[in-house]
Amino acid sequence: MLKKLNDFLAGLPMTIVAGVFLLMDLVPHLTEEFGGASVRLFFLPFDPAWATIVISGIPLLYLAIWRIIHNPGISKISSALLICIAMFAAIAIGDLFAAGEVVFIMAIGALLEDATANRAKKGLKQLIHLAPAKGRRLKDGKEEMILAEEIRQGDILRILPGETIPADGTIISGETSVDQSVMTGESLPVDKGMGEEVFCGTINRFGSIDISATKVGENSSLQKLIRMVQDAENKQAPMQRIADRAASWLVPVALLIAISAYMFTGNIVTAVTVLVVFCPCALVLATPTAVMAAIGQATKHGVIIKSGEALERMGKVDTIAFDKTGTLTYGRLDVSDVISFDAAVSETELLSLAASAEARSEHPLGKAITAYAGKKEVPLTEAKDFRMTAGRGIFAAAGGRGLLCGNEKFLAENGVPVDNRVQSVLERLRTEGKASVLIAEGRTCIGVIALSDVLRPDANDMVSRLSAMHTRIVLLTGDHQKTADYFARQVGISDVRAELLPEEKVGSIEKLQAENHKVCMIGDGVNDAPALKTADVSVAMGSMGSDIAVDAAEIALMSDDISKIPYLKRLSNETVKTIKVSIGLSMCINFAAIVLSLMGVLTPTTGALVHNAGSCFVVLIAALLYDRKFE
């Protein structure tokens, strides 16, 4: 009941009401302080400041008491405690306006901080939804559909094309291509055959396979992924406000100065004035106001920042880890090379033959070749006798020619030798991170078509600008080492860690953190979610990134424009600098106000007004961030 009342009073509507009552009390005090007659502008049976004290003071008192009871050690002493002491002292001498003013400023600060701290947490639910509900078990030669939680280690499971694999396992029969993007982020399905591992939550794209379950239920790769996101989420401690960190020395110092002032002057009003001006309200406002202004500017540039903590931490980041697929690259395949090994077959004719043969293929490589031919307006012929061997390649008759399109193993199985010339070309393409489709006619390999993920054109400039800001760049990817090395060379990244599963990405980030680096992770796939949660701050590609990655991250690039990363870093740096400047100025104002209070120049009411002016000054400095140019 008390908690509900506290939340109601601390909400925006009641804080506005408290502000109105404080304003009602301000004008009579101003006229009295500056020599005019005390005029009651509002005919109320009580002083309007009492309403402000009750509305904004009860939540503050609740917070101070809660921290005394529940917080360990020195953290029992908080800024809320100091302001409650000042509030009660002002009430004791009858200066209700001063009491209302300090608690009202704190209420505003709390609202601003809450507004910057809201974060979406739907990602974990979506990740859980990836877990397959059922699996097809083979028992006594019969198929039966069972719930995923009923699968046991050693069970034989059959997975048909298009189905999600319900448990980790080893293939004991069949060949296929598996979409492992949920686990590794790879843009291409991975060909799998007898004896190879498959992971829970990945998708069987083509052939039917039988697997022997090795890790089931809570031990499966997908459940491990879910647990890592949960654990990393739980590790994220809420931001402790600067004023609360300082309260351990502010409270005793304020009380010591106030008591000393009373002992030397014999004037209780002077002591109360010291307590009022010592309240860290400007200190409390410094962070949330600067953060809100920066978040507003970032939103104008298509960068969504979900929490003030993320922006503050981004300003302290010295290492940025990038995923590759969908982040540094577009995450889509395109034909990069068409190479003919037969002088009688031109590159255009080779593309036409391959695209015609692949026109009925559902494999991503085949579809990409056909799409590229269409974009280049290369004429196609209707293919006949189309046959596909899952995970290997296809046979089709196009233009009256029998064609094989596939990998080296597929050509070897069909009696087509791959000579040294072809091997050297394939090796070169591999070092460039490209996938290859060999085309053969009869018993001769007549050419190869290479496909590659497409590098974002601004990736190189983005890395250069971050390096100029003395930021370390690391590439963390599930792709093969050669593919990762090739793309890393293209953009100028020297620290490359490839062939990583989600838990290995997490391990890499934790290792960097153990070396006292502040790490930002930038990714777009489901497999990046644990790493995004583990990093000190995380950025997701918003428009094409998975919903899970976007929800797991604290910052999202809605236009997928990675050139915004240096802008985000500069904005964060300036926000942290502004916060530090605001804190320094607020401390100077407080110090000057304390001196004036001890000299008897300020009363609790005028002290509260000076105190309020300092808070307004901090807000003004923060607001200037909104229109600053960081491009």
Side-chain angles (χ1 to χ4, degrees):
M1 183 65 183
L2 186 60
K3 179 71 167 62
K4 288 183 179 179
L5 174 64
N6 178 74
D7 292 342
F8 172 70
L9 293 176
L12 179 60
M14 291 307 294
T15 302
I16 292 173
V17 171
V20 171
F21 276 106
L22 189 64
L23 185 62
M24 289 165 62
D25 196 53
L26 175 61
V27 175
H29 276 281
L30 284 176
T31 56
E32 185 177 1
E33 285 290 334
F34 296 102
S38 180
V39 180
R40 180 169 292 280
L41 299 181
F42 301 93
F43 300 97
L44 293 174
F46 57 88
D47 191 314
W50 272 118
T52 304
I53 292 168
V54 171
I55 293 171
S56 297
I58 288 177
L60 196 67
L61 182 61
Y62 175 89
L63 179 62
I65 293 172
W66 191 93
R67 286 176 174 172
I68 289 172
I69 295 171
H70 296 283
N71 280 12
I74 197 69
S75 61
K76 292 178 182 293
I77 301 173
S78 65
S79 58
L81 178 61
L82 175 55
I83 292 168
C84 284
I85 292 171
M87 176 185 72
F88 284 121
I91 292 172
I93 65 167
D95 199 326
L96 300 181
F97 174 78
E101 187 270 345
V102 291
V103 294
F104 176 70
I105 293 293
M106 283 297 289
I108 293 293
L111 283 175
L112 288 173
E113 191 164 19
D114 286 344
T116 63
N118 290 330
R119 292 172 57 184
K121 294 183 180 180
K122 299 179 295 183
L124 188 58
K125 290 181 182 177
Q126 294 180 3
L127 189 57
I128 290 169
H129 288 160
L130 289 177
K134 294 183 178 181
R136 184 180 284 99
R137 182 169 64 187
L138 297 180
K139 193 171 184 180
D140 300 326
K142 296 181 180 178
E143 291 184 14
E144 58 177 353
M145 293 298 295
I146 61 171
L147 296 175
E149 54 263 33
E150 294 175 9
I151 297 173
R152 297 291 177 263
Q153 187 174 349
D155 281 352
I156 306 302
L157 307 174
R158 176 161 292 169
I159 299 99
L160 301 181
E163 290 185 341
T164 301
I165 296 171
D168 289 11
T170 303
I171 298 177
I172 59 173
S173 174
E175 295 175 337
T176 188
S177 295
V178 179
D179 180 353
Q180 296 189 150
S181 59
V182 67
M183 297 300 297
T184 66
E186 290 175 285
S187 54
L188 292 174
V190 178
D191 295 334
K192 298 278 187 178
M194 290 267 291
E196 293 189 274
E197 271 191 299
V198 291
F199 303 109
C200 177
T202 59
I203 301 170
N204 179 27
R205 285 299 184 197
F206 301 107
S208 173
I209 55 173
D210 294 344
I211 69 169
S212 174
T214 55
K215 294 178 183 177
V216 301
E218 292 299 311
N219 295 321
S220 71
S221 299
L222 183 62
Q223 290 300 326
K224 193 183 295 182
L225 189 68
I226 292 169
R227 282 200 303 276
M228 281 190 291
V229 175
Q230 288 173 324
D231 292 344
E233 178 73 42
N234 293 334
K235 287 178 186 175
Q236 296 290 352
M239 181 175 64
Q240 187 181 17
R241 292 189 299 197
I242 293 170
D244 286 333
R245 293 200 296 267
S248 57
W249 61 267
L250 277 175
V251 173
V253 169
L255 289 174
L256 181 62
I257 294 175
I259 292 169
S260 300
Y262 176 66
M263 290 176 64
F264 281 101
T265 65
N267 188 348
I268 189 65
V269 173
T270 300
V272 173
T273 305
V274 169
L275 287 175
V276 168
V277 299
F278 217 113
C279 288
C281 294
L283 207 61
V284 169
L285 289 172
T287 298
T289 51
V291 165
M292 284 197 74
I295 287 175
Q297 177 175 134
T299 302
K300 291 192 298 183
H301 289 79
V303 180
I304 305 302
I305 302 173
K306 300 180 187 178
S307 80
E309 297 169 74
L311 184 68
E312 199 174 356
R313 288 196 301 269
M314 188 70 189
K316 300 172 184 176
V317 160
D318 59 13
T319 303
I320 297 182
F322 284 90
D323 175 46
K324 180 189 79 67
T325 306
T327 305
L328 293 178
T329 68
Y330 284 109
R332 65 169 186 261
L333 289 173
D334 203 0
V335 172
S336 58
D337 304 83
V338 180
I339 303 169
S340 175
F341 300 132
D342 187 337
V345 180
S346 67
E347 291 181 358
T348 301
E349 185 180 4
L350 180 67
L351 178 60
S352 176
L353 290 170
S356 299
E358 295 278 12
R360 291 167 59 185
S361 172
E362 289 298 315
H363 197 284
L365 295 180
K367 292 170 78 171
I369 291 171
T370 304
Y372 181 78
K375 187 167 61 177
K376 293 294 183 180
E377 298 182 349
V378 173
L380 305 184
T381 57
E382 185 178 354
K384 298 178 181 179
D385 300 327
F386 178 87
R387 297 191 299 274
M388 183 180 80
T389 303
R392 293 281 199 274
I394 61 107
F395 170 83
R401 306 167 77 162
L403 300 171
L404 294 168
C405 301
N407 57 28
E408 296 167 77
K409 190 178 291 186
F410 181 64
L411 264 62
E413 289 172 354
N414 286 274
V416 180
V418 178
D419 59 27
N420 291 336
R421 177 192 174 194
V422 176
Q423 286 284 5
S424 65
V425 171
L426 289 176
E427 186 58 32
R428 175 178 64 81
L429 293 173
R430 287 191 193 101
T431 60
E432 295 175 357
K434 297 173 181 177
S436 301
V437 176
L438 294 167
I439 298 98
E441 181 182 10
R443 295 191 177 277
T444 304
C445 181
I446 61 173
V448 62
I449 294 179
L451 301 96
S452 175
D453 200 350
V454 182
L455 187 70
R456 294 180 186 272
D458 45 6
N460 187 279
D461 179 62
M462 181 268 300
V463 170
S464 298
R465 288 160 66 193
L466 286 174
S467 298
M469 296 166 70
H470 308 292
T471 304
R472 179 181 179 181
I473 310 296
V474 181
L475 180 62
L476 303 179
T477 177
D479 274 4
H480 293 296
Q481 188 69 50
K482 288 183 178 179
T483 302
D485 288 339
Y486 173 74
F487 281 101
R489 285 195 301 271
Q490 296 291 98
V491 297
I493 298 176
S494 57
D495 192 344
V496 182
R497 307 177 191 194
E499 301 180 28
L500 302 178
L501 290 172
E503 60 264 32
E504 293 169 326
K505 286 187 179 182
V506 170
S508 293
I509 289 175
E510 288 176 340
K511 185 177 179 182
L512 289 167
Q513 290 170 328
E515 296 168 359
N516 294 319
H517 290 293
K518 296 294 182 183
V519 183
C520 170
M521 174 69 193
I522 302 177
D524 80 307
V526 174
N527 64 296
D528 296 322
L532 289 168
K533 283 293 186 184
T534 302
D536 295 287
V537 64
S538 50
V539 180
M541 310 299 282
S543 68
M544 70 168 288
S546 77
D547 289 342
I548 291 166
V550 172
D551 288 331
E554 297 160 299
I555 301 171
L557 305 180
M558 299 315 294
S559 62
D560 283 352
D561 183 358
I562 58 172
S563 68
K564 297 296 183 187
I565 300 297
Y567 156 78
L568 174 62
K569 186 72 177 81
R570 281 197 298 271
L571 174 65
S572 304
N573 291 347
E574 289 302 314
T575 302
V576 170
K577 191 181 297 183
T578 298
I579 290 170
K580 290 178 178 178
V581 168
S582 295
I583 289 170
L585 286 173
S586 70
M587 296 297 286
C588 290
I589 291 170
N590 275 17
F591 178 76
I594 290 167
V595 172
L596 292 173
S597 300
L598 294 172
M599 293 171 61
V601 176
L602 296 179
T603 65
T605 299
T606 53
L609 292 173
V610 170
H611 174 262
N612 197 30
S615 299
C616 292
F617 192 44
V618 165
V619 172
L620 178 61
I621 293 173
L624 295 176
L625 270 175
Y626 186 75
D627 290 317
R628 290 264 302 272
K629 301 295 182 185
F630 295 99
E631 292 287 1

